């Protein structure tokens, strides 16, 4: 009977599987000092990212996960967001210098997803990749192909 249940679970699509809950501290390799020095200003009076090449945890590459955080929209319409950065605290990448690259996840939703309120934390579920991403406002250590967004 157990083998039948295991066979059924293995044949389920990824979206039907239970995601692994991942928290921001999980995305930092053991022994890496994530504490950064005082923020720097560049000549355009904007704050620079302090650790744009922070190492990632390769064990999460290809894993189906669920991560809490705040949305920094990058692409989409008034109703649907197709691309955003997921960050560990409100205002990251906008009002304060971006956190270390291993503390930012670049998220894409092929068809877009409704984000109700940017002030509220959300859970984002999808397949995580350790392939980085470079944008205008930050270097990112992780990418996530989104499957769902839910209130935190």
């Amino acid at each position: 009977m157990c083998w039948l249940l295991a066979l059924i679970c293995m044949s389920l699509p990824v979206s039907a599987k239970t995601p692994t809950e991942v928290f921001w501290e999980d995305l930092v390799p053991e022994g890496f000092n994530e504490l950064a020095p005082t923020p720097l200003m560049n000549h355009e009076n904007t704050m620079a990212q302090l650790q744009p090449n922070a190492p990632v945890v390769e064990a999460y590459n290809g894993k189906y996960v669920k991560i809490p955080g705040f949305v920094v929209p990058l692409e989409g319409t008034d109703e649907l967001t197709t691309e955003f950065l997921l960050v560990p605290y409100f205002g990251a990448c906008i009002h304060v210098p971006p956190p270390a690259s291993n503390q930012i996840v670049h998220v894409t939703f092929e068809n877009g997803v409704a984000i109700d309120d940017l002030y509220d934390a959300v859970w984002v579920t999808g397949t995580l990749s350790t392939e980085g991403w470079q944008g205008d406002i930050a270097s990112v250590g992780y990418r996530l192909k989104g499957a769902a967004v839910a209130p935190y």
Side-chain angles (χ1 to χ4, degrees):
M1 186 62 138
C2 278
W3 64 269
L4 181 58
L5 182 59
L7 184 61
I8 291 170
C9 287
M10 288 186 333
S11 65
L12 290 174
V14 170
S15 61
K17 295 180 182 177
T18 303
T20 301
E21 284 188 6
V22 175
F23 295 93
W24 295 100
E25 59 270 15
D26 300 329
L27 299 177
V28 177
E30 190 175 328
F32 175 70
N33 182 2
E34 61 185 296
L35 299 176
T38 308
L40 304 172
M41 301 292 275
N42 68 19
H43 294 293
E44 285 120 24
N45 201 26
T46 58
M47 292 179 265
Q49 184 173 12
L50 299 171
Q51 296 177 327
N53 298 311
V56 296
V57 178
E58 291 294 336
Y60 288 114
N61 193 37
K63 300 291 184 190
Y64 189 64
V65 300
K66 178 179 175 179
I67 305 173
F70 292 88
V71 172
V72 177
L74 298 174
E75 295 288 334
T77 66
D78 289 341
E79 294 83 30
L80 297 175
T81 302
T82 56
E83 181 181 357
F84 61 88
L85 299 180
L86 188 68
V87 295
Y89 50 88
F90 179 77
C93 299
I94 297 174
H95 303 295
V96 297
S101 58
N102 61 14
Q103 294 293 282
I104 307 173
V105 179
H106 177 253
V107 181
T108 57
F109 279 86
E110 188 172 323
N111 297 318
V113 65
I115 304 293
D116 296 327
D117 192 344
L118 297 178
Y119 294 101
D120 293 336
V122 295
W123 282 105
V124 179
T125 302
T127 303
L128 194 64
S129 166
T130 55
E131 178 185 330
W133 179 83
Q134 178 68 45
D136 291 339
I137 59 176
S139 292
V140 177
Y142 297 94
R143 289 185 184 204
L144 188 134
K145 184 174 181 185
V149 172
Y152 180 69

